[in-house]
Amino acid sequence: MQENQPELTGLTSSEVEARVADGRINHDTDVKTKSTWQIFATHAFTLFNAVNLAMAVVIFLTGQYRNMLFLTIVAANLFIGVFQEVRAKNMVDKLTIMTQKEVTVLRDGAESSIAPSELVIDDLMRLSHGDQVPADCEVVSGNVYCDESLLTGESVPVAKKPGSPLYSGSFIESGSLVARVTKVGKDGFAAKINAEAKYVKAVKSEILATLKAIIRIGTMLLVPLGIGLFVRTYFTEGTTLVEATLSTTSAVLGMIPQGLVLLTSSVLAIATTRLGMKGVLVQQSYCVETLARVDTLCLDKTGTITSGEMEVAHVEPVKGSTEADAVSVFAAIARANVSDANETAKALLAYADANGDGAPIQVSRAVAFSSARKYSGCVTADGRGFVMGAAQFVLGEARMSEADALCEGFDAIERRMVICSCGGFDASDAIQGSPSIIGCVGIRDKVRETAPQTMQYFIEQGVELRVISGDDPRTVSAIAKIAGVPDADRYVDAATLDTPEKLDAAVDAARVFGRVTPQQKRELVDALHRRGRTVAMTGDGVNDVLALREADCSVSMASGSAAARNVSEIVLADNDFSHMPEVVAEGRRSINNLQRSASLFLVKTVFTALLALICIVIPPYPFIPIQMSLISTIVIGVPSFVLALEPNHELVSGNFLANVLSKSLPASASITLFLLLELVLGRLLGHEFAEISTVCMFITIVVGLALIYRISVPLTKLRFALLVAMGAAAAIACTAFRDFFTVAWLPLDVFIATAIFCALAVVTFLILAARFERKAGDSRVLAALVERIESGVEVPRAARPRS
């Protein structure tokens, strides 16, 4: 081949220009992240924002600008959501740029470096050890070993020679070559898989589904209730237009839990920031919740359980020789070829450095590894020849039994090589003389040191582990067993699963799947979904993209393909899978604390809707927006944020909405009941609107503080301080700032009656809460209510009960 090298001149400039003009250029090969405008539009153009903006416009027209304070919550929620997602997008884009290398091409008889996106059909590329193949091509000259694990999942290097195809996304493991580009852009092997991932992955979050359902139901109710309340207040009660408008908008705003939306965004943003400081990039904040609910984790072998590096597992010397002899020889061969060191050579050198190979052997000639010969070697300064490689190529088939006997103690996952002395090498690097065995060395994928602890964590949490790989199932099974995956010996060769029925049966029978195609990976995830499973998937290659897209939560490594990173919700920036327990812990803290805090918000949503319905019959509506802002701050806003940020490592259990309603409904019922009594008695006794409004506000705040106490048990110093602070804040707001919040001074008799009402309301709440808690586990009414609410939006898989 050497004599043909000068003839490889490549395309001319005019030929390149013609191909560019024809569109035969290597564009659009990766999955693209969303633009900043798309991210902003996703967060801005929502039903939640539309309702709040409409209410703000109505209040603005009244001139009562202080009642527009709720817009700060809407703006803060929008800012947090956009900022978090844009931050994640920028980090992923940077990772893509950092991992993208220029490619060397031959054009006009000279070499030049260009971006992979500038390649055209028929370009000649020079690729060598460590280079990623940027476009589908055909080998023109050179012999190499190619790592196609990112495409197929198969970690065994594939030999390539002139005429062999090379696929985009694979890596040159050893050797160098010149290849001609045969396919560009969307026609490439990797690009075709990526094309199926080019869409915005739907968020699968029970919390998000609950929020959407509440907002949707609230929006449907607010129109008829708002119109009815306005008509009743303005046309039959003789109030002014401004008063009727403020009263109606107060009721309408109370049905939409602005604070809960902001709290959820804030808590998840804090969680993603904490994880970001630990090297975990969360692209979609709601996936933190999904991962905490996962009950099945599908693991990719390469890059997840293993590090992608090789290590020496065994060195077995022949009788009469020592391990040190074998180590010194393979170290000499590896050092002689260090300029083209592949992962195997790096592992040999690392072992030699760690175990000491004595004085280095001086080498006068290096014999580089060749995919055709399948061995490498060297000649020492004193004329001795050494060779290392696959036994059948070094010793020949007739002497294979000698190597087999020496490797009896090696594991099934190890790649075996013989180390021999020989008479030297001829001009074409062929072995001279009969090789004499010095020893055998076993090389294997390096299992991450943290893998067993990480697997044990998920086992203790009741998460079922599945290993899905493109590698030989026996090798995958052995590695899974080392990593601590339960039932790792229950493996299946996916090449035999040639019908949907066989694949479906294998999902129940096996825990390790080998030789799996990209399409089969996706089908396995779908099969688990049909069994009611909440599935997380890890992967780093183009071959994982389809399965990553289908999983409820997908995790990829930063060192993997750009396509895998872009389609995944979580990217491990330092490629360390041991961070996964930290992600789960953050998810649990977020969900459990949000469930507790969300009950405060739903109290207001429920009693406001019921009160609006009541006030159509018995007007007026007792609150104005600024008073609802005070109630929201003291009873809901500040307490919910404090409680939501506390440590919490409890297991996530039950349905989010059911858990929230079980705590909030008793408080809502008590508040609604006593507000109704106050409206009736106030009208009968001829109380002014300001007095009725003040009494209603006191009742709501006191019951709200009682709810805070109940969900804070057992009291800690922080929770006790929170209760005292909120009580003090309410007292100060209703006295020192009573004019701002439109709080009336109550006559002594009314004040005493109000105190009695508040006490009775608290007692009623505590009784209802105790009874509700005892019966919540088998409450058909609550189950039916949750089902009706969730039917308003698509329920994510994480929220569906197992079959």
Side-chain angles (χ1 to χ4, degrees):
M1 285 293 178
Q2 288 297 115
E3 64 272 14
N4 293 329
Q5 289 298 317
E7 299 177 10
L8 301 176
T9 58
L11 298 175
T12 63
S13 297
S14 59
E15 289 173 329
V16 171
E17 291 173 2
R19 285 162 172 75
V20 171
D22 291 340
R24 292 183 289 171
I25 190 168
N26 201 39
H27 283 165
D28 300 321
T29 58
D30 270 328
V31 178
K32 305 298 182 184
T33 56
K34 289 191 290 184
S35 67
T36 302
W37 166 248
Q38 288 175 318
I39 293 172
F40 176 80
T42 300
H43 290 272
F45 302 134
T46 64
L47 180 61
F48 171 77
N49 288 341
V51 171
N52 282 280
L53 183 60
M55 293 302 100
V57 171
V58 172
I59 295 173
F60 179 82
L61 295 176
T62 68
Q64 300 294 314
Y65 306 124
R66 64 181 176 178
N67 289 290
M68 296 171 63
L69 191 62
F70 68 90
L71 280 181
T72 58
I73 295 177
V74 179
N77 179 66
L78 177 61
F79 172 78
I80 291 171
V82 173
F83 176 81
Q84 166 62 24
E85 194 164 345
V86 169
R87 172 177 169 273
K89 162 195 161 55
N90 291 337
M91 291 183 69
V92 171
D93 289 344
K94 286 180 181 178
L95 283 173
T96 301
I97 294 171
M98 289 169 60
T99 55
Q100 188 181 72
K101 292 175 60 178
E102 289 191 331
V103 59
T104 300
V105 295
L106 291 168
R107 288 179 177 177
D108 293 317
E111 292 185 1
S112 60
S113 296
I114 62 173
S117 59
E118 296 175 9
L119 286 169
V120 298
I121 285 287
D122 296 326
D123 254 330
L124 292 181
M125 304 180 292
R126 286 196 186 277
L127 303 172
S128 59
H129 165 67
D131 288 340
Q132 186 172 28
V133 180
D136 288 13
C137 53
E138 181 181 284
V139 179
V140 175
S141 68
N143 292 274
V144 300
Y145 267 104
C146 191
D147 179 356
E148 297 180 345
S149 60
L150 287 183
L151 302 177
T152 65
E154 179 76 43
S155 62
V156 177
V158 181
K160 301 290 183 178
K161 59 184 180 180
S164 297
L166 288 176
Y167 300 109
S168 51
S170 59
F171 286 86
I172 306 300
E173 185 178 90
S174 63
S176 59
L177 55 75
V178 175
R180 181 178 61 83
V181 175
T182 56
K183 294 180 181 178
V184 291
K186 298 177 182 179
D187 295 329
F189 183 88
K192 287 180 179 178
I193 297 179
N194 292 344
E196 295 194 44
K198 286 190 178 182
Y199 77 103
V200 179
K201 184 176 178 180
V203 179
K204 298 166 184 174
S205 162
E206 189 174 325
I207 294 177
L208 183 60
T210 299
L211 290 176
K212 285 183 176 180
I214 293 171
I215 293 169
R216 181 174 176 177
I217 292 172
T219 303
M220 289 189 296
L221 291 176
L222 67 84
V223 175
L225 287 179
I227 294 174
L229 186 59
F230 178 81
V231 170
R232 183 74 166 89
T233 304
Y234 181 63
F235 290 102
T236 66
E237 291 299 308
T239 59
T240 65
L241 179 62
V242 171
E243 290 173 339
T245 301
L246 291 179
S247 178
T248 302
T249 53
S250 178
V252 168
L253 288 171
M255 299 178 202
I256 305 297
Q258 299 104 327
L260 179 56
V261 176
L262 175 60
L263 176 68
T264 303
S265 299
S266 300
V267 169
L268 295 179
I270 291 171
T272 57
T273 301
R274 286 176 173 174
L275 291 171
M277 295 171 66
K278 299 175 182 178
V280 179
L281 172 59
V282 180
Q283 300 198 72
Q284 173 47 256
S285 58
Y286 281 95
C287 75
V288 175
E289 172 215 348
T290 309
L291 188 59
R293 295 183 183 276
V294 159
D295 54 34
T296 305
L297 177 59
C298 296
L299 302 165
D300 180 45
K301 176 184 73 68
T302 307
T304 301
I305 298 177
T306 63
S307 63
E309 301 174 356
M310 306 296 286
E311 66 177 350
V312 175
H314 284 98
V315 176
E316 188 66 37
V318 74
K319 187 176 181 180
S321 186
T322 66
E323 180 178 327
D325 295 333
V327 172
S328 63
V329 171
F330 71 57
I333 296 173
R335 291 192 180 109
N337 294 282
V338 70
S339 61
D340 191 32
N342 56 20
E343 292 300 327
T344 298
K346 291 177 183 177
L348 294 170
L349 289 173
Y351 187 88
D353 292 339
N355 293 274
D357 59 330
I361 297 175
Q362 300 300 313
V363 175
S364 61
R365 177 187 173 187
V367 176
F369 180 83
S370 164
S371 59
R373 294 188 302 267
K374 292 183 173 55
Y375 63 75
S376 58
C378 69
V379 177
T380 66
D382 55 8
R384 292 177 296 165
F386 295 115
V387 61
M388 175 177 64
Q392 63 266 42
F393 290 90
V394 175
L395 300 175
E397 295 290 343
R399 296 180 61 190
M400 278 289 294
S401 59
E402 297 178 36
D404 291 341
L406 203 57
C407 298
E408 281 184 356
F410 288 19
D411 293 334
I413 65 173
E414 295 175 30
R415 188 167 8 130
R416 306 168 184 185
M417 296 186 296
V418 292
I419 308 161
C420 300
S421 60
C422 64
F425 303 89
D426 62 19
S428 61
D429 292 335
I431 299 172
Q432 292 182 322
S434 178
S436 178
I437 300 178
I438 298 173
C440 285
V441 58
I443 305 288
R444 68 182 179 190
D445 281 349
K446 189 174 183 179
V447 176
R448 294 182 182 274
E449 294 180 1
T450 56
Q453 297 94 311
T454 305
M455 301 304 164
Q456 186 59 36
Y457 171 83
F458 283 107
I459 293 168
E460 292 172 354
Q461 305 309 313
V463 177
E464 185 178 274
L465 301 176
R466 307 281 184 118
V467 181
I468 303 176
S469 174
D471 244 334
D472 184 286
R474 292 168 298 179
T475 302
V476 181
S477 173
I479 290 176
K481 187 176 296 184
I482 293 172
V485 175
D487 300 320
D489 55 340
R490 292 166 56 184
Y491 63 84
V492 65
D493 188 337
T496 64
L497 307 178
D498 50 4
T499 66
E501 292 75 19
K502 289 182 180 179
L503 186 141
D504 205 55
V507 171
D508 296 321
R511 292 296 177 267
V512 174
F513 300 81
R515 302 197 193 283
V516 184
T517 66
Q519 290 74 19
Q520 283 179 321
K521 286 190 178 186
R522 177 173 58 183
E523 291 167 3
L524 287 171
V525 173
D526 286 339
L528 290 167
H529 282 155
R530 290 195 297 273
R531 287 157 174 77
R533 296 283 182 167
T534 302
V535 183
M537 175 78 192
T538 70
D540 60 357
V542 174
N543 63 309
D544 299 314
V545 167
L546 301 181
L548 290 171
R549 187 188 66 177
E550 291 302 316
D552 297 289
C553 182
S554 47
V555 183
S556 68
M557 306 292 171
S559 60
S561 69
R565 288 196 302 268
N566 291 351
V567 81
S568 296
E569 287 95 351
I570 295 176
V571 178
L572 304 179
D574 57 1
N575 306 305
D576 189 354
F577 184 68
S578 66
H579 288 309
M580 291 302 291
E582 296 171 354
V583 180
V584 174
E586 280 293 341
R588 286 181 178 167
R589 181 191 61 78
S590 301
I591 296 171
N592 288 324
N593 287 340
L594 276 173
Q595 284 183 161
R596 184 171 55 185
S597 297
S599 61
L600 299 174
F601 289 95
L602 287 198
V603 166
K604 187 187 75 167
T605 299
V606 174
F607 89 72
T608 300
L610 293 175
L611 187 60
L613 183 61
I614 290 169
C615 289
I616 293 176
V617 180
I618 310 174
Y621 189 82
F623 301 117
I624 61 174
I626 192 63
Q627 292 173 334
M628 291 302 294
S629 295
L630 175 63
I631 293 171
S632 297
T633 301
I634 292 176
V635 176
I636 302 170
V638 175
S640 63
F641 270 90
V642 173
L643 295 175
L645 298 178
E646 283 191 307
N648 193 322
H649 301 289
E650 297 175 10
L651 290 172
V652 176
S653 60
N655 178 278
F656 178 81
L657 183 55
N659 291 337
V660 171
L661 288 177
S662 66
K663 294 181 175 64
S664 64
L665 287 181
S668 298
S670 178
I671 291 173
T672 304
L673 173 62
F674 281 88
L675 292 187
L676 172 60
L677 291 175
E678 169 57 25
L679 289 173
V680 173
L681 291 175
R683 287 177 68 89
L684 291 176
L685 297 174
H687 290 170
E688 297 290 332
F689 172 79
E691 292 177 343
I692 295 175
S693 177
T694 300
V695 173
C696 289
M697 189 166 65
F698 285 170
I699 293 171
T700 305
I701 290 175
V702 170
V703 175
L705 291 174
L707 174 60
I708 295 172
Y709 166 78
R710 184 167 179 81
I711 65 176
S712 298
V713 174
L715 286 178
T716 61
K717 291 182 179 179
L718 175 63
R719 296 174 186 177
F720 179 76
L722 174 66
L723 273 171
V724 172
M726 292 302 96
I732 293 172
C734 293
T735 52
F737 298 94
R738 69 183 189 88
D739 291 337
F740 183 78
F741 292 106
T742 318
V743 178
W745 285 115
L746 299 177
L748 182 59
D749 59 334
V750 177
F751 183 81
I752 294 173
T754 300
I756 295 173
F757 255 44
C758 288
L760 290 174
V762 170
V763 171
T764 302
F765 157 66
L766 294 176
I767 293 173
L768 289 174
R771 291 185 176 181
F772 205 97
E773 187 174 302
R774 286 197 299 269
K775 296 182 179 181
D778 58 355
S779 174
R780 295 183 180 180
V781 175
L782 179 60
L785 178 60
V786 170
E787 185 177 353
R788 290 300 298 270
I789 292 175
E790 287 183 341
S791 66
V793 293
E794 179 185 357
V795 182
R797 296 187 184 106
R800 296 171 186 158
R802 292 190 191 182
S803 56

